[in-house]
Amino acid sequence: LPVLSKHVVQRREKALCATTLPSNDVRYSWYQSSGTTGRPTRVLHSGRSNVMFSRLVQRQLRWFRWDPLRMRGELRPNYRQPRLPDGSLPEKGAACRYPKWRYIGEIFESGPQVGLCSTAPVERQIDWLLEQRPAYLTANSSVLDRLAWTGGRERLAGVLNGALTISEELSPVMRQRCEGVLDTSVDQNYGLNEIGIVAARCAAGRYHVHMEHCLTEIVDEDGAPVAPGEGGRLLVTALRNTAMPLLRYETGDLAEEVSGPCPCGRSLPSFGGLVGRFRQLVGLPEGTLACILKIKVTLREAPTEIVDMVRQFQIRQEADGSFRFLLVCSAPLPEAFRQLMAEAWSEVSGAEGPALRLEVVEEIPISASGKAQDFVSSFAPEG
């Protein structure tokens, strides 16, 4: 079967909807992607697909050893917070409290849940965390990293028993910083609104796929499987959504192929570390994917002392085919970092390939969805 791109889903969404559903399923609701990789993609979910979300939330939190009787906190955008009893969303910047955990509280007895908008000033977030002292916290990766960096170990160590980062890539350096400052484990899952929760990360660093809900593949630019140890495009096939089945759906994410049993002991299929997002490769110069992967993998595998000052980055592909590597740093970049990136770039681009320029900047704007975009291209198609 051909790869199903986001652009095809956007153009043919009505044609992709099932005309009839099984007798034990119903059309539930439309959901859409955040739009980080371009124009949002809408998908109609069935009732069975929707209910799997709460079931898989329960599974992953059991894997993470979260105790549902304790307090849970969320730092999420205002529109991602649970609705108040009157059906309205909390006011921007306002703290909110609920009698039970979202999703889990519908199935099991649970403790309370508290929330605060993630766009609130970071010092306000720290004060809220110290006031409420939830046992567990869910937040975007960049939000948790900024919280740890600003709050410091003296104020935040021991406040949390666990943290879950969502929606964005969490680099090894970010993970080390967050776990060191917060003095607790930081867990991750992987999912997308078009499918639901796809996988959860184990202590061995693999993402175990919820195969009752979906299947995954990692392929190269031509749609062929990559070898173990190689990175490629992550495709997902939905198994539970009878209202709008997506087969070999292009997620817009990059991941690594793995082989053999996982050291953690779980037998669900798995893939290796996520190496970030990319916009659609359609229309991009040949070799773009290899260039993106090289930068990301080099940054991820570099010694901590060389990359510890990097707070945020973005790869930009210019109209002339060259690349700019923008970096937000807490200290000057060491010469060893520049040399490492230059050597890695020469390996992937060669003497005749596109140029790479490193630029240290004060700020990299986030997208309207609240997510950090780590790759943008002048060649990417609109919408």
Side-chain angles (χ1 to χ4, degrees):
L1 295 174
V3 172
L4 179 62
S5 71
K6 293 178 181 288
H7 297 298
V8 170
V9 176
Q10 292 163 3
R11 292 196 303 266
R12 304 296 301 277
E13 65 176 32
K14 291 184 178 179
L16 288 169
C17 291
T19 55
T20 59
L21 273 68
S23 59
N24 63 346
D25 208 351
V26 296
R27 295 176 178 85
Y28 181 77
S29 182
W30 287 90
Y31 290 85
Q32 70 177 36
S33 66
S34 63
T36 304
T37 57
R39 171 184 161 193
T41 304
R42 299 202 321 153
V43 173
L44 176 63
H45 279 266
S46 67
R48 293 174 65 189
S49 176
N50 181 73
V51 79
M52 283 298 291
F53 189 88
S54 58
R55 302 301 188 265
L56 296 178
V57 166
Q58 185 267 146
R59 169 188 270 174
Q60 71 180 17
L61 296 187
R62 285 173 63 90
W63 283 5
F64 303 155
R65 300 296 187 260
W66 285 22
D67 179 357
L69 295 180
R70 304 192 67 181
M71 182 187 293
R72 178 183 182 182
E74 286 193 353
L75 283 170
R76 306 287 306 279
N78 187 65
Y79 66 92
R80 292 291 189 187
Q81 296 287 353
R83 292 188 177 272
L84 299 171
D86 63 0
S88 64
L89 287 170
E91 294 183 8
K92 289 187 177 181
C96 45
R97 185 181 180 92
Y98 308 91
K100 57 187 179 182
W101 289 18
R102 180 161 40 173
Y103 308 121
I104 300 298
E106 303 299 326
I107 309 172
F108 301 104
E109 182 180 356
S110 80
Q113 177 170 318
V114 293
L116 180 70
C117 183
S118 57
T119 58
V122 65
E123 287 294 342
R124 167 71 176 120
Q125 296 177 25
I126 294 171
D127 290 341
W128 169 84
L129 190 63
L130 295 174
E131 291 167 3
Q132 299 296 327
R133 303 188 75 85
Y136 312 105
L137 180 68
T138 299
N140 280 23
S141 303
S142 60
V143 172
L144 190 72
D145 186 51
R146 185 170 64 248
L147 190 74
W149 188 278
T150 305
R153 184 177 175 83
E154 290 185 1
R155 283 200 285 175
L156 298 180
V159 174
L160 299 171
N161 289 79
L164 170 63
T165 61
I166 58 174
S167 299
E168 298 170 340
E169 182 182 1
L170 182 72
S171 71
V173 172
M174 292 167 66
R175 174 184 294 282
Q176 183 180 45
R177 178 163 50 241
C178 290
E179 291 187 336
V181 169
L182 300 174
D183 194 25
T184 190
S185 61
V186 177
D187 293 300
Q188 289 174 270
N189 69 10
Y190 172 75
L192 52 159
N193 291 341
E194 303 97 302
I195 303 291
I197 298 178
V198 173
R201 185 182 185 274
C202 71
R206 291 191 182 186
Y207 287 81
H208 289 273
V209 178
H210 300 300
M211 62 180 298
E212 308 94 334
H213 183 60
C214 59
L215 303 175
T216 61
E217 304 169 69
I218 300 175
V219 302
D220 61 20
E221 296 185 40
D222 298 321
V226 301
E230 294 184 354
R233 304 151 63 192
L234 180 60
L235 311 181
V236 180
T237 293
L239 301 177
R240 291 284 181 173
N241 189 6
T242 59
M244 191 174 175
L246 301 182
L247 309 181
R248 306 196 76 206
Y249 176 65
E250 177 78 84
T251 65
D253 291 311
L254 304 171
E256 292 180 347
E257 183 64 88
V258 296
S259 63
C262 182
C264 81
R266 293 183 176 88
S267 58
L268 288 171
S270 61
F271 54 85
L274 292 161
V275 288
R277 303 191 62 88
F278 69 100
R279 294 197 68 173
Q280 288 292 340
L281 293 174
V282 176
L284 303 192
E286 184 178 353
T288 294
L289 175 58
C291 291
I292 301 167
L293 283 171
K294 190 63 175 181
I295 294 176
K296 288 177 172 292
V297 171
T298 302
L299 189 64
R300 187 188 63 193
E301 295 180 349
T304 301
E305 62 271 16
I306 293 180
V307 298
D308 189 50
M309 72 293 301
V310 176
R311 296 295 313 283
Q312 188 181 355
F313 73 90
Q314 185 179 80
I315 305 164
R316 293 189 180 182
Q317 188 177 41
E318 302 296 339
D320 62 359
S322 66
F323 288 80
R324 294 168 62 202
F325 190 18
L326 306 184
L327 298 149
V328 176
C329 301
S330 60
L333 276 178
E335 184 58 34
F337 181 93
R338 297 179 183 275
Q339 182 177 347
L340 179 68
M341 296 306 304
E343 292 174 353
W345 189 253
S346 66
E347 291 178 9
V348 71
S349 66
E352 303 299 325
L356 175 68
R357 301 192 304 276
L358 271 65
E359 298 180 24
V360 178
V361 297
E362 292 292 327
E363 181 183 9
I364 298 175
I366 62 173
S367 67
S369 67
K371 293 184 180 181
Q373 290 180 280
D374 52 27
F375 174 65
V376 294
S377 175
S378 298
F379 293 90
E382 295 294 331

